[in-house]
Amino acid sequence: MFSLLFLLLLCLILSLLMFFHKYITTKHLPPGPKGLPIIGNLHQLDISKLYLQFSQFSKIYGPIFSLQLGLRQAIVVSSAEIAKEVLKNNDLVFSNRPMLYGQQKLTYNGSEMVFTPYGEVWRELRKICVVHIFSSKHGSYYSSIRMFEVKKMIKKISEHASSSSNINLSELLISLSSTITCRIAFGKSYEDEGHERSRFHGLLHEFQALLMEFFVADYIPFTGWIDKVRGLHGRVDRNFKEFDEFYQEIIDQHLDPNREHSEEVIVDVLLKLKKQNLSSIDLTFDHIKGVLVDMLVAATDTTSATSVWTLTALIKNPRVMNKVQQEIRKTGARKEFLDENDIQSFPYLKAVIKETLRLYLPAPLLVPRESREKCIISGYNIPANTILYVNAWAIQRDPNVWKNPDEFYPERFLESSINFLGQDFELIPFGAGHRICPGLSMAVASIELILANLLYFFDWKLPDGLVKEDIDTEMLPGITQHKKNPLYLAAESPT
Ligand code: HEM
């Protein structure tokens, strides 16, 4: 009897302790919408348009608000000032990424960069990327691939230009960036019709869908069976296995001693580092495959989406289109191709791209972060393991910071020194701090080269019967925000 009473008392004390611990750690959180027990705010969220929904919430609850995602605490930041507080003043605290089932499984469980928590593996892979992959040593070869592929595209469009048919620029530009990325990463592309193309694109399509998929167990533990019943675990396992075989084939081809000599691409650089044991971690094939996955996740869609959004904004703003074409065509003698040197004298083109990345950024909520320890942000207590969303979409359209924020007006960047390099928190399409996009320079170099040449060689017209208001700017939900409806335009050679 005595021992039963003792046990009950112990349980009571433990429950009270747990209650107070939770009360103390979650005390004075930012305000937020009221949720339901267990699921919190999950039922209120529309995953396809989170950045818009979060913008609406921030109008009610302020520039920092809380969400309860099942049993997980989250905060959303929607002002440049607080973005600076989390991404600069508390950069190391928020340098983790949330570990989500599908993302982890498909990206070799922490063997890559984008979704891997802060730690030794992430630090070493990031160093490898910056020092060995994006370095100037290989930069000139990557640049020659970019130029070759952009020239090929210009030739293809020229053939269309004479027939005055409309061109699906969305499709063309996705194919171009996919070719450039695959050639730089794997040394070959998958754009020619046939089995290889359909296998690669089939796998990539499913992979991207799964990265965006909502797994209940990520927010409410012990509900993994729901995801299993929904068939998600099976889909993840299948996609992972098939993509793993695909990467292994590439590695085997590059390890083949009889392989014809060719320029080093990313997979060769990584294999060399592994062979020479030059890395501070034991670089495994999983790490190499993880970095290849990163190239596909991070490089292809972001570059093509930005190029399509720029052309969309230009066709809707003929004044800007005229002005940028005048700048580009003022290069003197007729050129066969504009290269990276020519582009340095196009400040207005650079401003046009910045303005596109302000209004139509490919990752409106950046890539979510997670706090490694408790901290205080804007006077609120933020517990450890809180998911952080930075609503860059809202920040980059904030009327308190930007004059006429919804207007496409590149001149604003000619008159100011604001840049997207992670120092100006009102413009952060590439993020900021330790986890800022390491592909920033490569992305900008590709986008500038593509657009300069498209605008130099062709006049772009709306399809017959359409007016500029018919071209929509709706975003397709996805890991990268593409234009929902493909952009069709007609190309004419300038007279
Ligand atoms: C991360 C945007 C192109 C590789 C990121 C992040 C953003 C971003 C917002 C998260 C940053 C943060 O958490 O603060 C973009 C945009 C691009 C682009 C807008 C093009 C317009 C590229 C390219 C590559 C690349 C071309 C590779 C060649 C990566 C990688 C990460 C990353 C590896 C993960 C970094 C980490 O977590 O440490 N990118 N990106 N990105 N990006 Fe990009």
Side-chain angles (χ1 to χ4, degrees):
M1 181 66 187
F2 177 75
S3 57
L4 188 65
L5 269 178
F6 178 75
L7 210 64
L8 280 173
L9 196 66
L10 194 69
C11 284
L12 188 70
I13 293 172
L14 278 176
S15 307
L16 282 172
L17 279 176
M18 277 168 71
F19 174 80
F20 281 118
H21 175 72
K22 183 155 171 61
Y23 177 75
I24 288 162
T25 49
T26 59
K27 202 180 74 166
H28 202 43
L29 278 167
K34 214 170 164 41
L36 293 175
I38 302 181
I39 61 170
N41 304 108
L42 283 178
H43 64 297
Q44 297 164 326
L45 301 184
D46 173 2
I47 298 233
S48 67
K49 286 203 174 106
L50 271 187
Y51 63 97
L52 280 180
Q53 217 183 5
F54 287 175
S55 299
Q56 294 304 326
F57 282 150
S58 72
K59 286 185 187 135
I60 306 168
Y61 302 104
I64 174 165
F65 63 87
S66 293
L67 285 175
Q68 196 64 45
L69 305 180
L71 303 184
R72 304 233 31 202
Q73 184 60 50
I75 54 168
V76 183
V77 164
S78 318
S79 80
E81 206 182 311
I82 308 180
K84 183 173 178 183
E85 219 181 316
V86 286
L87 297 178
K88 186 172 180 188
N89 307 351
N90 289 279
D91 183 18
L92 267 179
V93 174
F94 284 103
S95 56
N96 254 1
R97 301 270 190 223
M99 304 259 280
L100 305 180
Y101 178 86
Q103 293 178 353
Q104 288 304 307
K105 192 87 207 273
L106 292 168
T107 60
Y108 294 86
N109 290 317
S111 302
E112 51 76 67
M113 255 178 307
V114 183
F115 302 110
T116 295
Y118 181 85
E120 206 198 336
V121 171
W122 170 79
R123 259 198 313 272
E124 184 59 18
L125 291 178
R126 179 126 183 158
K127 196 172 99 195
I128 288 177
C129 273
V130 173
V131 176
H132 299 280
I133 293 183
F134 301 141
S135 67
S136 52
K137 182 176 165 218
H138 294 96
S140 62
Y141 178 55
Y142 301 159
S143 152
S144 73
I145 292 180
R146 274 197 294 270
M147 291 212 276
F148 180 88
E149 294 299 334
V150 175
K151 270 184 198 165
K152 226 168 79 182
M153 175 186 68
I154 296 295
K155 192 160 169 274
K156 202 163 153 190
I157 299 178
S158 300
E159 287 156 17
H160 265 271
S162 48
S163 72
S164 75
S165 55
N166 297 324
I167 298 167
N168 183 341
L169 281 160
S170 301
E171 196 181 272
L172 197 74
L173 289 167
I174 288 176
S175 162
L176 172 72
S177 8
S178 161
T179 303
I180 294 176
T181 309
C182 288
R183 283 195 59 193
I184 288 176
F186 316 140
K188 66 190 278 193
S189 81
Y190 300 88
E191 292 312 306
D192 291 335
E193 289 302 329
H195 168 69
E196 278 208 317
R197 181 183 198 275
S198 57
R199 176 191 181 205
F200 172 70
H201 286 281
L203 283 174
L204 188 59
H205 191 260
E206 171 71 344
F207 172 78
Q208 287 167 336
L210 285 168
L211 284 186
M212 273 298 287
E213 195 49 80
F214 175 81
F215 289 75
V216 190
D218 285 334
Y219 306 97
I220 308 173
F222 316 115
T223 55
W225 60 272
I226 300 182
D227 298 322
K228 239 185 212 156
V229 171
R230 289 166 66 214
L232 290 177
H233 288 197
R235 277 175 64 196
V236 167
D237 289 347
R238 261 193 312 280
N239 188 260
F240 174 75
K241 184 171 169 290
E242 287 172 28
F243 240 138
D244 185 61
E245 283 163 12
F246 168 85
Y247 292 124
Q248 192 58 51
E249 282 165 27
I250 292 172
I251 289 177
D252 291 343
Q253 285 159 11
H254 284 255
L255 284 175
D256 183 353
N258 300 320
R259 185 181 154 78
E260 261 181 47
H261 174 75
S262 57
E263 288 272 359
E264 265 186 2
V265 292
I266 292 178
V267 65
D268 301 307
V269 176
L270 295 167
L271 287 171
K272 197 156 99 184
L273 286 172
K274 175 172 167 53
K275 192 172 166 196
Q276 295 171 344
N277 227 345
L278 283 180
S279 160
S280 73
I281 53 171
D282 178 18
L283 200 64
T284 63
F285 283 132
D286 277 6
H287 293 124
I288 295 179
K289 291 171 187 171
V291 174
L292 297 180
V293 174
D294 279 349
M295 294 302 122
L296 289 184
V297 176
T300 310
D301 279 14
T302 45
T303 310
S304 60
T306 308
S307 308
V308 171
W309 282 119
T310 310
L311 289 170
T312 304
L314 288 174
I315 202 75
K316 290 177 81 62
N317 292 276
R319 177 193 71 80
V320 181
M321 173 77 98
N322 256 331
K323 190 167 165 181
V324 72
Q325 285 190 311
Q326 267 177 27
E327 176 183 80
I328 293 170
R329 289 176 185 172
K330 238 192 241 156
T331 49
R334 183 100 186 124
K335 296 224 171 195
E336 277 190 18
F337 190 72
L338 296 181
D339 61 25
E340 285 166 12
N341 288 332
D342 295 312
I343 289 160
Q344 298 325 310
S345 54
F346 300 153
Y348 193 62
L349 173 68
K350 286 173 185 279
V352 164
I353 293 169
K354 264 192 205 168
E355 183 68 337
T356 304
L357 284 167
R358 182 182 74 81
L359 284 174
Y360 308 109
L361 63 171
L365 296 174
L366 307 183
V367 181
R369 305 272 192 101
E370 191 183 273
S371 59
R372 298 165 63 217
E373 56 194 69
K374 64 181 180 187
C375 60
I376 295 180
I377 301 292
S378 266
Y380 294 110
N381 288 344
I382 311 297
N385 308 318
T386 297
I387 300 177
L388 164 72
Y389 295 97
V390 177
N391 192 349
W393 187 89
I395 293 172
Q396 298 186 175
R397 288 173 182 246
D398 183 351
N400 297 318
V401 176
W402 302 97
K403 201 172 152 199
N404 300 328
D406 296 330
E407 190 186 340
F408 188 77
Y409 184 67
E411 283 77 1
R412 69 177 88 234
F413 291 111
L414 298 178
E415 295 149 10
S416 97
S417 60
I418 291 183
N419 211 334
F420 43 49
L421 303 175
Q423 298 304 320
D424 303 308
F425 289 82
E426 52 277 64
L427 188 70
I428 43 171
F430 295 98
H434 273 75
R435 298 205 78 145
I436 191 174
C437 174
L440 191 159
S441 311
M442 199 159 153
V444 174
S446 290
I447 295 163
E448 287 177 348
L449 189 78
I450 294 167
L451 288 166
N453 282 288
L454 284 177
L455 296 168
Y456 180 72
F457 286 104
F458 307 104
D459 285 337
W460 294 97
K461 306 282 172 215
L462 288 161
D464 278 348
L466 291 192
V467 290
K468 61 183 170 51
E469 288 72 22
D470 294 327
I471 305 291
D472 70 282
T473 53
E474 250 193 273
M475 289 190 175
L476 195 68
I479 191 112
T480 299
Q481 304 275 320
H482 284 283
K483 184 175 171 332
K484 187 170 176 195
N485 298 303
L487 179 69
Y488 279 93
L489 295 178
E492 285 178 9
S493 301
T495 43

